[in-house]
mmCIF file of all heavy atoms in Angstrom:
data_model
loop_
_atom_site.group_PDB
_atom_site.id
_atom_site.type_symbol
_atom_site.label_atom_id
_atom_site.label_comp_id
_atom_site.label_asym_id
_atom_site.label_seq_id
_atom_site.Cartn_x
_atom_site.Cartn_y
_atom_site.Cartn_z
ATOM 1 N N ALA A 62 1.092 -2.855 8.442
ATOM 2 C CA ALA A 62 2.247 -3.730 8.255
ATOM 3 C C ALA A 62 2.723 -3.711 6.802
ATOM 4 O O ALA A 62 3.923 -3.620 6.530
ATOM 5 C CB ALA A 62 1.905 -5.158 8.679
ATOM 6 N N LEU A 63 1.785 -3.788 5.862
ATOM 7 C CA LEU A 63 2.156 -3.772 4.450
ATOM 8 C C LEU A 63 2.744 -2.422 4.039
ATOM 9 O O LEU A 63 3.689 -2.358 3.245
ATOM 10 C CB LEU A 63 0.928 -4.091 3.591
ATOM 11 C CG LEU A 63 0.418 -5.532 3.675
ATOM 12 C CD1 LEU A 63 -0.854 -5.692 2.859
ATOM 13 C CD2 LEU A 63 1.487 -6.520 3.205
ATOM 14 N N PHE A 64 2.176 -1.343 4.586
ATOM 15 C CA PHE A 64 2.720 -0.012 4.267
ATOM 16 C C PHE A 64 4.159 0.106 4.742
ATOM 17 O O PHE A 64 5.030 0.609 4.014
ATOM 18 C CB PHE A 64 1.860 1.070 4.903
ATOM 19 C CG PHE A 64 2.465 2.441 4.831
ATOM 20 C CD1 PHE A 64 2.515 3.127 3.622
ATOM 21 C CD2 PHE A 64 3.006 3.046 5.959
ATOM 22 C CE1 PHE A 64 3.099 4.394 3.538
ATOM 23 C CE2 PHE A 64 3.578 4.299 5.886
ATOM 24 C CZ PHE A 64 3.617 4.986 4.677
ATOM 25 N N GLU A 65 4.429 -0.322 5.968
ATOM 26 C CA GLU A 65 5.792 -0.219 6.486
ATOM 27 C C GLU A 65 6.760 -1.078 5.673
ATOM 28 O O GLU A 65 7.865 -0.626 5.339
ATOM 29 C CB GLU A 65 5.829 -0.640 7.960
ATOM 30 C CG GLU A 65 5.143 0.344 8.889
ATOM 31 C CD GLU A 65 5.351 -0.004 10.350
ATOM 32 O OE1 GLU A 65 5.923 -1.086 10.619
ATOM 33 O OE2 GLU A 65 4.961 0.791 11.219
ATOM 34 N N LEU A 66 6.348 -2.313 5.343
ATOM 35 C CA LEU A 66 7.236 -3.215 4.612
ATOM 36 C C LEU A 66 7.473 -2.732 3.179
ATOM 37 O O LEU A 66 8.617 -2.558 2.749
ATOM 38 C CB LEU A 66 6.644 -4.620 4.595
ATOM 39 C CG LEU A 66 7.397 -5.665 3.759
ATOM 40 C CD1 LEU A 66 8.828 -5.823 4.245
ATOM 41 C CD2 LEU A 66 6.663 -7.004 3.788
ATOM 42 N N LEU A 67 6.398 -2.507 2.442
ATOM 43 C CA LEU A 67 6.536 -2.115 1.036
ATOM 44 C C LEU A 67 7.110 -0.708 0.895
ATOM 45 O O LEU A 67 7.928 -0.452 0.009
ATOM 46 C CB LEU A 67 5.183 -2.217 0.338
ATOM 47 C CG LEU A 67 4.558 -3.618 0.316
ATOM 48 C CD1 LEU A 67 3.204 -3.585 -0.376
ATOM 49 C CD2 LEU A 67 5.493 -4.619 -0.359
ATOM 50 N N GLY A 68 6.667 0.195 1.776
ATOM 51 C CA GLY A 68 7.228 1.542 1.740
ATOM 52 C C GLY A 68 8.704 1.559 2.078
ATOM 53 O O GLY A 68 9.482 2.300 1.476
ATOM 54 N N GLY A 69 9.099 0.752 3.058
ATOM 55 C CA GLY A 69 10.518 0.663 3.410
ATOM 56 C C GLY A 69 11.354 0.129 2.260
ATOM 57 O O GLY A 69 12.450 0.633 1.982
ATOM 58 N N LEU A 70 10.833 -0.894 1.573
ATOM 59 C CA LEU A 70 11.552 -1.424 0.417
ATOM 60 C C LEU A 70 11.654 -0.376 -0.694
ATOM 61 O O LEU A 70 12.690 -0.264 -1.362
ATOM 62 C CB LEU A 70 10.844 -2.676 -0.113
ATOM 63 C CG LEU A 70 10.925 -3.921 0.785
ATOM 64 C CD1 LEU A 70 10.034 -5.024 0.231
ATOM 65 C CD2 LEU A 70 12.368 -4.409 0.904
ATOM 66 N N ALA A 71 10.580 0.394 -0.887
ATOM 67 C CA ALA A 71 10.600 1.436 -1.917
ATOM 68 C C ALA A 71 11.653 2.497 -1.596
ATOM 69 O O ALA A 71 12.390 2.950 -2.480
ATOM 70 C CB ALA A 71 9.219 2.080 -2.037
ATOM 71 N N ILE A 72 11.755 2.893 -0.332
ATOM 72 C CA ILE A 72 12.767 3.880 0.063
ATOM 73 C C ILE A 72 14.173 3.322 -0.149
ATOM 74 O O ILE A 72 15.060 3.995 -0.681
ATOM 75 C CB ILE A 72 12.574 4.292 1.538
ATOM 76 C CG1 ILE A 72 11.315 5.136 1.704
ATOM 77 C CG2 ILE A 72 13.795 5.041 2.063
ATOM 78 C CD1 ILE A 72 11.395 6.524 1.105
ATOM 79 N N ALA A 73 14.389 2.070 0.252
ATOM 80 C CA ALA A 73 15.716 1.468 0.111
ATOM 81 C C ALA A 73 16.130 1.359 -1.355
ATOM 82 O O ALA A 73 17.295 1.584 -1.698
ATOM 83 C CB ALA A 73 15.735 0.086 0.760
ATOM 84 N N LEU A 74 15.169 1.041 -2.233
ATOM 85 C CA LEU A 74 15.464 0.879 -3.650
ATOM 86 C C LEU A 74 15.425 2.201 -4.410
ATOM 87 O O LEU A 74 15.834 2.256 -5.564
ATOM 88 C CB LEU A 74 14.473 -0.105 -4.282
ATOM 89 C CG LEU A 74 14.524 -1.537 -3.746
ATOM 90 C CD1 LEU A 74 13.400 -2.368 -4.343
ATOM 91 C CD2 LEU A 74 15.881 -2.176 -4.043
ATOM 92 N N GLY A 75 14.917 3.242 -3.774
ATOM 93 C CA GLY A 75 14.818 4.528 -4.454
ATOM 94 C C GLY A 75 13.679 4.581 -5.438
ATOM 95 O O GLY A 75 13.768 5.241 -6.468
ATOM 96 N N PHE A 76 12.572 3.900 -5.135
ATOM 97 C CA PHE A 76 11.401 3.877 -6.018
ATOM 98 C C PHE A 76 10.369 4.883 -5.514
ATOM 99 O O PHE A 76 9.886 4.761 -4.394
ATOM 100 C CB PHE A 76 10.797 2.470 -6.058
ATOM 101 C CG PHE A 76 9.536 2.381 -6.874
ATOM 102 C CD1 PHE A 76 9.593 2.425 -8.255
ATOM 103 C CD2 PHE A 76 8.311 2.259 -6.249
ATOM 104 C CE1 PHE A 76 8.436 2.340 -9.012
ATOM 105 C CE2 PHE A 76 7.147 2.180 -6.994
ATOM 106 C CZ PHE A 76 7.210 2.220 -8.379
ATOM 107 N N MET A 77 10.043 5.898 -6.343
ATOM 108 C CA MET A 77 9.099 6.948 -5.951
ATOM 109 C C MET A 77 9.485 7.498 -4.578
ATOM 110 O O MET A 77 8.676 7.607 -3.657
ATOM 111 C CB MET A 77 7.668 6.409 -5.948
ATOM 112 C CG MET A 77 7.196 5.944 -7.312
ATOM 113 S SD MET A 77 5.532 5.233 -7.325
ATOM 114 C CE MET A 77 4.562 6.709 -7.031
ATOM 115 N N THR A 78 10.746 7.844 -4.455
ATOM 116 C CA THR A 78 11.322 8.191 -3.155
ATOM 117 C C THR A 78 10.640 9.391 -2.510
ATOM 118 O O THR A 78 10.364 9.386 -1.310
ATOM 119 C CB THR A 78 12.825 8.473 -3.317
ATOM 120 O OG1 THR A 78 13.416 7.409 -4.065
ATOM 121 C CG2 THR A 78 13.498 8.581 -1.963
#
Side-chain angles (χ1 to χ4, degrees):
L63 290 176
F64 170 72
E65 290 187 353
L66 175 59
L67 299 179
L70 290 173
I72 289 290
L74 297 174
F76 176 74
M77 298 177 70
T78 311

